[in-house]
Amino acid sequence: DIEDYWIKAYGKVAISGKSIEFEAPANSFGKHYHVDAFQNQPGQFAVIFSDITKRKQAEEKAKASEEKYQTLVKNSYDIAYSVKPNGIIEFVGPQISHLGYTAEEVISKNFLDFVAPDYKQIVITNFDKGTRDGTSIPIEFQLCGKDGKHYWVEAVGKISYDQSGKPLIQVGIMRDISERKQVENDLK
């Protein structure tokens, strides 16, 4: 039972003489192929099949994993982030909008640009320590919102290293704890 589109594609090659290249599933075989079809003589065609089933399965698995990750990031209350060792923000989740920013306004900027002045040194110290020894300690500090207001956050990140031990990126989450801090102050 050969799929109809395969026959139509080969017929066009045999009649027109124009070569084609495509990827398609062969459902009756449970396979996926990359196909090169060309005219070898007038009215005839030849085909080269490459089985790409494993690659397609890996692509589907990666796509499903990416969709799960995106769902997690989009639906979390926390702000997911990644920061390069030089402090440049590589990724920030859409929850950064709670501080008045879009992700585009934050990505490619130094994370210290958003840290309230009184907390920059403690954040630098924590970031450098984590980069050096791989520790992942939650830290509370204030970020500057786009409106100029300071927001308390709790952040925790983990550094990833390359094979030689060089830091690649810090990935983590930040949580707005402003309400909790307000309650703590009210109880004092």
Side-chain angles (χ1 to χ4, degrees), residues 6 8-9 17 37 42 49-50 61 70-71 103 112 119 135 149 151-152 154 161 163 167 174:
W6 293 73
K8 288 179 181 177
F49 294 96
S50 300
K61 188 175 180 181
Q70 288 297 328
T71 298
L112 288 174
Y119 295 89
T135 57
K149 182 179 171 187
Y151 295 85
W152 277 101
E154 179 181 58
Y161 300 89
Q163 293 175 341
M174 286 186 292

Side-chain angles (χ1 to χ4, degrees), residues 146-181:
K146 191 172 182 177
D147 59 3
K149 182 179 171 187
H150 289 188
Y151 295 85
W152 277 101
V153 295
E154 179 181 58
V156 63
K158 182 80 174 146
I159 303 288
S160 294
Y161 300 89
D162 68 12
Q163 293 175 341
S164 68
K166 179 181 174 187
L168 294 173
I169 196 138
Q170 182 188 77
V171 178
I173 57 167
M174 286 186 292
R175 174 173 293 154
D176 185 343
I177 60 169
S178 299
E179 288 181 26
R180 185 184 88 198
K181 285 293 197 178

Side-chain angles (χ1 to χ4, degrees), residues 3-188:
E3 285 84 356
D4 191 43
Y5 64 87
W6 293 73
I7 300 300
K8 288 179 181 177
Y10 301 146
K12 287 179 184 176
V13 171
I15 294 169
S16 72
K18 292 182 182 176
S19 299
I20 60 170
E21 180 181 348
F22 61 94
E23 293 181 358
N27 296 325
S28 55
F29 300 117
K31 298 280 186 178
H32 206 100
Y33 291 100
H34 177 229
V35 180
D36 287 298
F38 54 93
Q39 188 182 60
N40 59 342
Q41 292 182 27
Q44 295 183 357
F45 67 91
V47 180
I48 299 172
F49 294 96
S50 300
D51 185 349
I52 59 170
T53 305
K54 287 183 181 178
R55 186 192 86 201
K56 285 294 189 180
Q57 289 170 340
E59 287 172 358
E60 286 299 317
K61 188 175 180 181
K63 182 180 175 186
S65 177
E66 177 67 19
E67 288 171 355
K68 285 180 188 177
Y69 168 75
Q70 288 297 328
T71 298
L72 177 66
V73 168
K74 287 178 184 174
N75 294 312
S76 173
Y77 290 109
D78 296 337
I79 303 168
Y81 70 88
S82 63
V83 176
K84 296 178 185 178
N86 64 1
I88 300 300
I89 299 168
E90 187 171 86
F91 171 83
V92 67
Q95 291 76 5
I96 196 69
S97 64
H98 297 301
L99 304 179
Y101 299 104
T102 64
E104 292 76 23
E105 291 174 304
V106 174
I107 291 173
S108 298
K109 299 217 172 41
N110 192 295
F111 76 94
L112 288 174
D113 295 345
F114 303 95
V115 176
D118 292 347
Y119 295 89
K120 287 189 184 204
Q121 192 54 54
I122 193 165
V123 170
I124 290 169
T125 301
N126 189 280
F127 186 77
D128 289 346
K129 183 175 181 350
T131 300
R132 271 193 322 278
D133 62 19
T135 57
S136 179
I137 300 168
I139 179 174
E140 294 179 0
F141 59 97
Q142 289 185 345
L143 287 177
C144 300
K146 191 172 182 177
D147 59 3
K149 182 179 171 187
H150 289 188
Y151 295 85
W152 277 101
V153 295
E154 179 181 58
V156 63
K158 182 80 174 146
I159 303 288
S160 294
Y161 300 89
D162 68 12
Q163 293 175 341
S164 68
K166 179 181 174 187
L168 294 173
I169 196 138
Q170 182 188 77
V171 178
I173 57 167
M174 286 186 292
R175 174 173 293 154
D176 185 343
I177 60 169
S178 299
E179 288 181 26
R180 185 184 88 198
K181 285 293 197 178
Q182 184 62 48
V183 169
E184 288 173 2
N185 280 341
D186 292 346
L187 292 174
K188 287 183 180 180

